[in-house]
């Protein structure tokens, strides 16, 4: 296990339960890349698990999704992103066959402002699955390729995509 420092940006803060409150800001994980990204690449598998609660079903109307959890280094170059677009939770994943923009965004269903939801997304070549509150919501063989193209200089962020004009409003 590794411990990483969270850097707060703007109004992001932790509540008394250590949940990330990212309305008006976001968190960046200090020093995440390198060996951690290498471990995803060598295992050729990836799993993201988060409990989230959206503050709104309509993020800013900028035409782009609001990043909830992202590993990226540029506005259009993410290794992965869990985001919200309108009332939809979306996952996008970069592989050796998708190029830097990643796969087409895939829906995990609607988000909720009334209660927290538990999200798990897992990928190994040729199999992308997603679960929301323990229920399978996505199973796809459309995303193919390995994780060798994941750059080691990407930043892990909570509440915003790197370079994005849209912050996500909610709790992680």
């Amino acid at each position: 296990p590794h411990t990483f420092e969270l850097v707060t940006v703007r109004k992001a803060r932790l509540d008394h339960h250590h949940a990330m409150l990212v309305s008006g800001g976001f968190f960046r994980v200090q020093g995440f890349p390198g060996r951690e990204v290498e471990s995803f690449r060598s295992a050729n598998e990836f799993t993201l698990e988060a409990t989230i609660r959206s503050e709104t079903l309509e993020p800013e109307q900028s035409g782009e999704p609001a990043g909830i959890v992202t590993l990226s280094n540029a506005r259009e170059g993410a290794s992965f992103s869990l985001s919200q677009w309108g009332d939809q939770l979306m996952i996008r994943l970069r592989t050796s066959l998708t190029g830097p923009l990643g796969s087409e965004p895939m829906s995990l269903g609607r988000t909720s402002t009334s209660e927290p939801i538990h999200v798990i997304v897992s990928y190994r070549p040729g199999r992308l699955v997603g679960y929301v509150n323990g229920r399978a919501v996505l199973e796809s063989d459309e995303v193919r390729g390995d994780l060798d193209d994941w750059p080691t200089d990407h930043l892990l962020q909570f509440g915003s995509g790197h370079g994005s004009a849209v912050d996500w409003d909610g709790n992680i």
Side-chain angles (χ1 to χ4, degrees):
H2 300 282
T3 302
F4 299 96
E5 180 182 346
L6 288 176
V7 176
T8 59
V9 179
R10 295 191 307 275
K11 296 180 181 180
R13 62 187 171 82
L14 297 175
D15 72 7
H16 62 283
H17 296 292
H18 302 286
M20 290 182 243
L21 306 177
V22 295
S23 296
F26 61 94
F27 287 92
R28 178 173 294 137
V29 177
Q30 185 74 26
F32 179 79
R35 71 173 182 260
E36 289 74 22
V37 172
E38 282 296 328
S39 67
F40 292 129
R41 289 164 59 169
S42 66
N44 208 24
E45 294 182 1
F46 162 76
T47 298
L48 168 68
E49 181 175 8
T51 300
I52 62 172
R53 186 176 59 80
S54 180
E55 292 291 328
T56 178
L57 295 181
E58 295 296 329
E60 292 180 31
Q61 300 298 315
S62 69
E64 67 179 280
I68 301 170
V69 181
T70 62
L71 182 62
S72 66
N73 68 354
R75 187 176 203 162
E76 297 193 40
S79 293
F80 72 81
S81 65
L82 173 66
S83 57
Q84 180 181 336
W85 202 335
D87 66 353
Q88 294 292 308
L89 285 176
M90 308 295 281
I91 187 73
R92 185 175 220 162
L93 183 69
R94 174 183 183 159
T95 71
S96 59
L97 297 179
T98 64
L101 296 180
S103 65
E104 288 297 316
M106 296 184 166
S107 177
L108 299 171
R110 295 186 64 188
T111 190
S112 172
T113 57
S114 61
E115 61 188 40
I117 59 174
H118 181 241
V119 178
I120 298 175
V121 177
S122 188
Y123 175 77
R124 65 175 188 243
R127 182 167 161 75
L128 177 65
V129 295
Y131 299 88
V132 173
N133 294 332
R135 186 175 58 88
V137 294
L138 173 66
E139 187 170 341
S140 174
D141 61 0
E142 292 177 28
V143 181
R144 299 198 169 275
D146 56 42
L147 304 180
D148 285 345
D149 282 0
W150 280 25
T152 57
D153 65 343
H154 279 188
L155 302 171
L156 180 60
Q157 297 186 138
F158 298 92
S160 179
H162 184 73
S164 175
V166 181
D167 290 341
W168 183 69
D169 290 324
N171 305 341
I172 305 169

